[in-house]
Amino acid sequence: MKKKLLSLSLVAVMALGVLAGCSSSKTEEKPAEETEAETVEGTGEKYIIATDTVFPPFEFTNEGGEFVGIDVDIINAIAEDQGFEIELQSLGFDAALLAVQTGQADGVIAGMSITDERKEIFDFSEPYFDADVTMAVAAGSDIATYEDLAGKTVAVKTATNGADYAKSIADQYGFSIVEFKDSPTMYQDVIAGNTAACFEDYPVMAFNIQQGAGLQIPEGMTAAGTQYGFAVAKGENAELLEMFNTGLANIIANGKFDEIVDTYTK
């Protein structure tokens, strides 16, 4: 499976001092007598982190009923590295963004593309994943190019990189769009023949096909996408954002990041 990881050169860029910040959902401050090593490693505070519910391989429930995925493992590894605790809340993508905007959560990690529009509302971490967009069709479909979509309806997941890309080429190739709130429902609509194709980030689509989804990716139907980032509400939780960046640099440097991604993509 295709994946593009960040350069280790990010390590030097992100190894900055911890910025000041606070959150209404944190636990009380650590007492002054804590050791110097603990103070350097992290605050020991607890943050509420919102995420999606079904976006494999980034967040999903496995056969054992455990909530797992690349994003889940990354935020847990960073929290351990930086010495803070998290309460992960699986809310769905739209609800996760709203929770951060309204102060009900401190941050969000949910395969969230970094866009100029979102930068007006959120402060983003350094990117942690590059995800291209791909088109998929039902297994056995004769649709092989964007031109084959003319006069047909295409499925997308609301507020995603795939949705943005499909909308950007819809007029050019003459297809209409219907939106879904989650990927499994979108996939099923295509498999059932109600829609001709769907657009999704490549690692997500490829993982689902690998797991048995009745879809296929036509050759050459993958285009440049965007980068994923961890986010906090604009102007809030600067300390948490800085710890994420520093922790990300550390787990990239020590190989933990590659280990996490390889767990779900190989």
Side-chain angles (χ1 to χ4, degrees):
M1 179 178 292
K2 177 182 176 184
K3 70 177 193 295
K4 295 190 287 183
L5 303 180
L6 302 177
S7 168
L8 291 181
S9 64
L10 285 174
V11 175
V13 175
M14 294 187 286
L16 303 175
V18 175
L19 301 178
C22 61
S23 167
S24 58
S25 60
K26 303 175 190 174
T27 57
E28 63 182 8
E29 296 291 331
K30 293 178 69 176
E33 62 266 27
E34 293 287 357
T35 65
E36 180 179 353
E38 289 174 329
T39 302
V40 171
E41 291 175 359
T43 64
E45 294 173 344
K46 186 174 183 179
Y47 297 92
I48 295 175
I49 307 299
T51 187
D52 203 346
T53 52
V54 185
F55 193 58
F58 291 91
E59 40 266 336
F60 63 102
T61 301
N62 65 15
E63 293 180 354
E66 301 170 309
F67 194 64
V68 297
I70 293 173
D71 285 347
V72 177
D73 289 359
I74 285 176
I75 191 62
N76 281 321
I78 289 174
E80 180 179 359
D81 180 85
Q82 290 295 291
F84 63 88
E85 297 180 8
I86 64 166
E87 177 184 330
L88 195 64
Q89 295 189 351
S90 174
L91 305 176
F93 189 73
D94 291 342
L97 301 191
L98 183 60
V100 175
Q101 290 177 257
T102 58
Q104 297 178 60
D106 299 303
V108 55
I109 185 166
M112 183 177 178
S113 298
I114 301 172
T115 66
D116 290 339
E117 182 178 6
R118 287 176 179 158
K119 284 180 180 179
E120 296 179 2
I121 304 171
F122 302 98
D123 288 329
F124 282 94
S125 68
E126 295 290 342
Y128 66 86
F129 203 95
D130 292 336
D132 289 343
V133 174
T134 194
M135 180 184 81
V137 298
S141 172
D142 58 2
I143 293 175
T145 67
Y146 296 148
E147 286 81 3
D148 294 334
L149 298 175
K152 296 179 171 61
T153 302
V154 163
V156 300
K157 180 181 173 182
T158 301
T160 61
N161 191 31
D164 290 343
Y165 183 76
K167 290 174 183 178
S168 74
I169 65 171
D171 289 343
Q172 179 181 355
Y173 293 103
F175 60 82
S176 58
I177 292 174
V178 60
E179 299 191 18
F180 295 88
K181 289 186 177 181
D182 62 80
S183 296
T185 306
M186 174 181 70
Y187 299 154
Q188 190 56 46
D189 201 70
V190 176
I191 294 168
N194 298 324
T195 44
C198 56
F199 285 80
E200 182 83 279
D201 289 350
Y202 178 85
V204 179
M205 188 76 77
F207 179 84
N208 279 279
I209 292 174
Q210 182 186 64
Q211 297 300 307
L215 299 167
Q216 64 187 36
I217 299 173
E219 185 175 354
M221 290 295 98
T222 298
T226 61
Q227 297 176 309
Y228 291 165
F230 172 78
V232 298
K234 197 165 187 66
E236 303 291 335
N237 284 307
E239 182 181 46
L240 173 59
L241 191 64
E242 187 61 26
M243 286 193 294
F244 183 94
N245 283 336
T246 303
L248 177 61
N250 289 345
I251 66 172
I252 288 173
N254 64 27
K256 182 64 176 179
F257 183 89
D258 283 356
E259 179 185 326
I260 289 170
V261 174
D262 287 348
T263 297
Y264 298 97
T265 60
K266 287 188 175 180

